[in-house]
Amino acid sequence: MRVFDAQAAHTFTYVNKPSSGRPLRRNEVKSGTTAPIVRYFYSMNGVNLGDVGTDKVKSRVDYRAGARRLR
């Protein structure tokens, strides 16, 4: 799925292949740049466990709390 944020001039592309066991991947491209910011979102059984990316932003999800919700 591809989404364009006209106000911020960013394009977001989401790739999700749950059958392959891979995390949801989001590519963000700012207008005027060529290198995307890539962020991976990890989940299991519908519970968000965490995320990691090339944008040097701390995870938005607490891994420990996510793991507790799996019990």
Side-chain angles (χ1 to χ4, degrees):
M1 172 176 36
R2 180 171 284 184
V3 179
F4 180 69
D5 180 346
Q7 188 171 9
H10 292 201
T11 300
F12 297 92
T13 305
Y14 293 89
V15 179
N16 188 16
K17 296 183 181 180
S19 61
S20 68
R22 295 184 179 184
L24 170 68
R25 183 180 79 213
R26 180 186 74 196
N27 296 334
E28 175 184 351
V29 179
K30 298 178 183 180
S31 292
T33 64
T34 56
I37 295 171
V38 180
R39 183 157 284 278
Y40 293 93
F41 297 89
Y42 296 88
S43 64
M44 179 182 277
N45 297 331
V47 176
N48 292 328
L49 295 176
D51 58 292
V52 64
T54 61
D55 55 1
K56 299 180 181 152
V57 173
K58 290 175 68 173
S59 177
R60 296 164 176 91
V61 178
D62 179 357
Y63 289 91
R64 189 176 292 173
R68 273 191 236 121
R69 288 193 299 263
L70 286 174
R71 295 182 185 176

